[in-house]
Amino acid sequence: MSAPPSYAVSVPLNIVIVGGGTAGWMTAAAFAAVLPPAKRRIRLIESSEIGIVGVGEATLPHIRFFNKRIGIDERELMAKTQATFKLGIEFCDWARIGDSYIHPFGAYGTPMAGVPFHNYWLRQRAAGIEAPIEDYSVPIFASRMNRFALPSEDASEVGSMFGYAFQFDASLYAQYLRGFAEARGVERTDAKVVDVKLHGEDGFIESVKLDSGVEIAGDLFIDCSGFRGLLIEQTLKTGYNEWTHWLPCDRAVAMPCENAGPLMPYTRATAREAGWQWRIPLQHRTGNGYVYGSQFISDDEAAAKLIARLPGKALGDPRFLRFTAGRRKLTWNRNCVAIGLAGGFLEPLESTSIYLIQIAITTLLDYMTENSGMERKDATRARFDPRIVDAYNRWIEMEYDRVRDFLILHYHATERDDAPIWNYCRTMPVPDSLVHKMDLFRRRARVVTYKDGLFLEPSWVAVYLGQRVMPEGWNPLADAAPAAAVEQKLRDMRDKIQRAVMRMPLHEDFIKTYCPAAKPSMAGAPS
Ligand SMILES: Cc1cc2nc3c(=O)[nH]c(=O)nc-3n(C[C@H](O)[C@H](O)[C@H](O)COP(=O)(O)OP(=O)(O)OC[C@H]3O[C@@H](n4cnc5c(N)ncnc54)[C@H](O)[C@@H]3O)c2cc1C
């Protein structure tokens, strides 16, 4: 066991969170769970009049580490938020109309002699022995069969070769976290922030003024106020790096519907004439939305297309959202840290926003518990080490940039020429960092991997191959083993995977016994 963390704060650090959406309540819950009560006072201000974005229903497996770290019970969370399991994302019609591939939460096959599996698959394919790469993935095969079971803890079994995430009702998630945080001492105020006072000498935030006239002072301000960036932008004028030229979708229309068909353990993203449509199955309803570029389609037309393509009976009215792809130039500026939409936004194609919130929170907490970031030794002002602030900002930048490249790949690597958005994306210049990654994959199927940040090798392989970025060769070490032995090994692997998946219950049945949710009181109230 590593040494217990030493806490930087010697008298309570006054933490003020502005905003009570997913970002605000995730931050409040995590801070309250991790920082000892004597070392902190946490206040959260939210305005029920303004409300929250409330979409954000699909997550990544990393959320399970977050839950574990702060002590959230997974079954309880799932039951309270009408959640389902998610094994990956199905992409329909992205490279060509009619295509479908799944980006799975888990590896394809197993490496042999230290060489990643996809190299052997490419070798087999070149020899004409073709089984789709999907056949070597537990989460993909389980998704196609609508089956689910928790991964095996025995690493020698194929049933251990995957992870999972959740699909949940975002408004219920914020509510759940609120209960969790308040039970641990977080003080909530329902009011609107109408003014922000800065310290004269250095422009740090001193206090926020509420519409009730009350002023709340703090040491550290967390801006979770959503797209408006009340503190980080409207007050501190931090600036924004905009990436619309690479990610041209800037609007969405969302509309839930009744469930129809089997309960899928995955999210679906279908490419459309001006963007793409999501479909997220929950226990009580299906979330749907059309993410589009306003230069390619009008709001009314997008809503009409979405409604016409709903898989079940509509629930509620369409909700329109506007956004600009990018991130703040600094997400930590002076004594303000912007988390969630206030910090930046990358469209929801790979369900990365909640992950980015989580990373911001845990990185910040790590600095707070390493005796290196924040100090307040007495009644004077808290101190922030600029080197820590800089390190934090660099980390978050790296996370955003890596997600950005991965998202761009989906749009850019397409053969579609049937609509202006696809012609634009197919021919647009992309960041050098992505050009380099694609070049390496095209040449010898090499995936640029890294220790930190999204995404891991199987994710890149899934999207490269799914988007028809076919390598010219593969790692020559994969040619060392005799062809017959490789063929036999791959066949065994496929058989084992199929048998393991067919032993799993249907996703719907698993949910009924593991984490059934109460029937909603108002059937179909949209989130
Ligand atoms: C179309 C779309 C689809 C998405 N899908 C996904 C997904 O599948 N997966 C995923 O991970 N993420 C997704 N996201 C992102 C996700 O919705 C957000 O990351 C998440 O909801 C966090 O929002 P937030 O808490 O930062 O902001 P918000 O939900 O906007 O909350 C802002 C808070 O600030 C408060 N506030 C604002 N101004 C004031 C004021 N003056 N005074 C007091 N309080 C104030 C509001 O009351 C509210 O409580 C999606 C986003 C969009 C737009």
Side-chain angles (χ1 to χ4, degrees), residues 75-155:
R75 287 172 86 152
E76 183 188 75
L77 170 73
M78 290 191 72
K80 290 273 169 63
T81 58
Q82 299 281 348
T84 56
F85 289 97
K86 177 179 173 192
L87 291 170
I89 306 175
E90 182 191 19
F91 291 91
C92 301
D93 299 341
W94 278 81
R96 289 183 194 168
I97 291 175
D99 280 4
S100 154
Y101 69 94
I102 291 183
H103 165 194
F105 296 154
Y108 293 103
T110 44
M112 290 182 252
V115 178
F117 172 83
H118 67 275
N119 292 282
Y120 292 94
W121 178 79
L122 287 165
R123 174 186 160 183
Q124 292 283 94
R125 186 175 175 271
I129 310 162
E130 200 165 346
I133 194 158
E134 292 208 337
D135 287 6
Y136 302 94
S137 160
V138 176
I140 296 182
F141 193 56
S143 295
R144 297 283 187 209
M145 296 287 118
N146 286 315
R147 287 176 185 269
F148 184 83
L150 298 176
S152 162
E153 283 172 13
D154 179 349

Side-chain angles (χ1 to χ4, degrees), residues 1-2 16 34 64 92 100 164 178 198 212 266 287 396 429 437 453 456 473 490 494 502 510:
M1 275 257 317
S2 56
V16 178
V34 174
R64 295 180 50 227
C92 301
S100 154
Y164 63 88
R178 176 181 160 189
L198 302 181
S212 59
Y266 58 95
I396 301 299
K437 289 180 189 115
L456 298 177
L490 265 61
R494 256 186 4 238
M502 295 318 283
F510 189 84

